[in-house]
mmCIF file of all heavy atoms in Angstrom:
data_model
loop_
_atom_site.group_PDB
_atom_site.id
_atom_site.type_symbol
_atom_site.label_atom_id
_atom_site.label_comp_id
_atom_site.label_asym_id
_atom_site.label_seq_id
_atom_site.Cartn_x
_atom_site.Cartn_y
_atom_site.Cartn_z
ATOM 1 N N PHE A 116 -32.872 11.377 -11.739
ATOM 2 C CA PHE A 116 -33.456 10.073 -12.079
ATOM 3 C C PHE A 116 -33.638 9.907 -13.552
ATOM 4 O O PHE A 116 -34.727 9.498 -14.011
ATOM 5 C CB PHE A 116 -34.784 9.896 -11.339
ATOM 6 C CG PHE A 116 -34.721 10.160 -9.849
ATOM 7 C CD1 PHE A 116 -35.616 10.988 -9.226
ATOM 8 C CD2 PHE A 116 -33.712 9.551 -9.080
ATOM 9 C CE1 PHE A 116 -35.528 11.220 -7.843
ATOM 10 C CE2 PHE A 116 -33.620 9.794 -7.708
ATOM 11 C CZ PHE A 116 -34.542 10.649 -7.103
ATOM 12 N N GLY A 117 -32.632 10.295 -14.322
ATOM 13 C CA GLY A 117 -32.721 10.105 -15.756
ATOM 14 C C GLY A 117 -33.402 11.241 -16.500
ATOM 15 O O GLY A 117 -33.380 11.285 -17.727
ATOM 16 N N GLN A 118 -34.012 12.169 -15.771
ATOM 17 C CA GLN A 118 -34.687 13.285 -16.415
ATOM 18 C C GLN A 118 -33.788 14.522 -16.380
ATOM 19 O O GLN A 118 -34.102 15.503 -15.749
ATOM 20 C CB GLN A 118 -36.014 13.595 -15.689
ATOM 21 C CG GLN A 118 -36.989 12.445 -15.616
ATOM 22 C CD GLN A 118 -37.715 12.225 -16.916
ATOM 23 O OE1 GLN A 118 -37.660 13.078 -17.810
ATOM 24 N NE2 GLN A 118 -38.416 11.099 -17.016
ATOM 25 N N ASP A 119 -32.668 14.444 -17.102
ATOM 26 C CA ASP A 119 -31.702 15.517 -16.989
ATOM 27 C C ASP A 119 -32.196 16.860 -17.449
ATOM 28 O O ASP A 119 -31.688 17.917 -17.066
ATOM 29 C CB ASP A 119 -30.410 15.141 -17.728
ATOM 30 C CG ASP A 119 -29.668 14.010 -17.000
ATOM 31 O OD1 ASP A 119 -29.962 13.791 -15.815
ATOM 32 O OD2 ASP A 119 -28.832 13.341 -17.610
ATOM 33 N N GLY A 120 -33.212 16.846 -18.285
ATOM 34 C CA GLY A 120 -33.829 18.079 -18.781
ATOM 35 C C GLY A 120 -34.462 18.921 -17.639
ATOM 36 O O GLY A 120 -34.633 20.133 -17.810
ATOM 37 N N TRP A 121 -34.774 18.256 -16.520
ATOM 38 C CA TRP A 121 -35.394 19.003 -15.435
ATOM 39 C C TRP A 121 -34.441 19.920 -14.730
ATOM 40 O O TRP A 121 -34.871 20.886 -14.034
ATOM 41 C CB TRP A 121 -35.966 17.996 -14.393
ATOM 42 C CG TRP A 121 -37.079 17.165 -14.882
ATOM 43 C CD1 TRP A 121 -37.677 17.205 -16.115
ATOM 44 C CD2 TRP A 121 -37.821 16.170 -14.168
ATOM 45 N NE1 TRP A 121 -38.675 16.288 -16.193
ATOM 46 C CE2 TRP A 121 -38.804 15.624 -14.999
ATOM 47 C CE3 TRP A 121 -37.727 15.651 -12.861
ATOM 48 C CZ2 TRP A 121 -39.684 14.628 -14.640
ATOM 49 C CZ3 TRP A 121 -38.584 14.635 -12.486
ATOM 50 C CH2 TRP A 121 -39.563 14.141 -13.333
ATOM 51 N N ALA A 122 -33.151 19.675 -14.882
ATOM 52 C CA ALA A 122 -32.108 20.443 -14.140
ATOM 53 C C ALA A 122 -32.294 21.948 -14.425
ATOM 54 O O ALA A 122 -32.085 22.769 -13.539
ATOM 55 C CB ALA A 122 -30.720 19.952 -14.500
ATOM 56 N N ALA A 123 -32.613 22.277 -15.652
ATOM 57 C CA ALA A 123 -32.724 23.705 -16.018
ATOM 58 C C ALA A 123 -33.895 24.411 -15.278
ATOM 59 O O ALA A 123 -33.806 25.584 -15.029
ATOM 60 C CB ALA A 123 -32.902 23.832 -17.556
ATOM 61 N N PHE A 124 -34.918 23.676 -14.973
ATOM 62 C CA PHE A 124 -36.109 24.288 -14.367
ATOM 63 C C PHE A 124 -36.166 24.072 -12.871
ATOM 64 O O PHE A 124 -36.915 24.803 -12.201
ATOM 65 C CB PHE A 124 -37.380 23.698 -15.036
ATOM 66 C CG PHE A 124 -37.381 23.773 -16.511
ATOM 67 C CD1 PHE A 124 -37.364 22.624 -17.285
ATOM 68 C CD2 PHE A 124 -37.346 25.006 -17.136
ATOM 69 C CE1 PHE A 124 -37.352 22.711 -18.675
ATOM 70 C CE2 PHE A 124 -37.327 25.068 -18.534
ATOM 71 C CZ PHE A 124 -37.290 23.919 -19.299
ATOM 72 N N ALA A 125 -35.475 23.082 -12.385
ATOM 73 C CA ALA A 125 -35.536 22.784 -10.929
ATOM 74 C C ALA A 125 -34.094 22.633 -10.405
ATOM 75 O O ALA A 125 -33.640 21.514 -10.189
ATOM 76 C CB ALA A 125 -36.354 21.507 -10.695
ATOM 77 N N PRO A 126 -33.382 23.744 -10.214
ATOM 78 C CA PRO A 126 -32.000 23.622 -9.810
ATOM 79 C C PRO A 126 -31.881 23.043 -8.413
ATOM 80 O O PRO A 126 -32.772 23.118 -7.571
ATOM 81 C CB PRO A 126 -31.504 25.078 -9.784
ATOM 82 C CG PRO A 126 -32.733 25.893 -9.665
ATOM 83 C CD PRO A 126 -33.812 25.118 -10.377
ATOM 84 N N GLY A 127 -30.736 22.343 -8.187
ATOM 85 C CA GLY A 127 -30.477 21.772 -6.866
ATOM 86 C C GLY A 127 -29.450 22.581 -6.103
ATOM 87 O O GLY A 127 -29.036 23.669 -6.563
ATOM 88 N N LEU A 128 -28.958 22.069 -4.997
ATOM 89 C CA LEU A 128 -28.175 22.860 -4.076
ATOM 90 C C LEU A 128 -26.986 22.049 -3.582
ATOM 91 O O LEU A 128 -27.069 21.275 -2.639
ATOM 92 C CB LEU A 128 -29.051 23.264 -2.921
ATOM 93 C CG LEU A 128 -28.492 24.244 -1.876
ATOM 94 C CD1 LEU A 128 -28.089 25.545 -2.564
ATOM 95 C CD2 LEU A 128 -29.523 24.568 -0.809
ATOM 96 N N LYS A 129 -25.836 22.209 -4.254
ATOM 97 C CA LYS A 129 -24.630 21.518 -3.836
ATOM 98 C C LYS A 129 -23.456 22.420 -3.666
ATOM 99 O O LYS A 129 -22.521 22.089 -2.932
ATOM 100 C CB LYS A 129 -24.289 20.415 -4.899
ATOM 101 C CG LYS A 129 -25.045 19.125 -4.715
ATOM 102 C CD LYS A 129 -24.487 18.275 -3.580
ATOM 103 C CE LYS A 129 -25.507 17.242 -3.099
ATOM 104 N NZ LYS A 129 -25.166 16.789 -1.752
ATOM 105 N N SER A 130 -23.432 23.540 -4.369
ATOM 106 C CA SER A 130 -22.258 24.440 -4.327
ATOM 107 C C SER A 130 -22.698 25.858 -4.008
ATOM 108 O O SER A 130 -23.867 26.193 -4.011
ATOM 109 C CB SER A 130 -21.580 24.400 -5.715
ATOM 110 O OG SER A 130 -22.405 25.076 -6.636
ATOM 111 N N ILE A 131 -21.712 26.688 -3.733
ATOM 112 C CA ILE A 131 -22.027 28.085 -3.470
ATOM 113 C C ILE A 131 -22.638 28.760 -4.702
ATOM 114 O O ILE A 131 -23.551 29.562 -4.599
ATOM 115 C CB ILE A 131 -20.738 28.877 -3.056
ATOM 116 C CG1 ILE A 131 -20.378 28.512 -1.621
ATOM 117 C CG2 ILE A 131 -20.921 30.407 -3.172
ATOM 118 C CD1 ILE A 131 -19.224 29.279 -1.040
#
Side-chain angles (χ1 to χ4, degrees):
Chain A
F116 308 131
Q118 303 282 349
D119 290 343
W121 294 1
F124 308 115
L128 187 58
K129 276 282 161 201
S130 70
I131 285 186

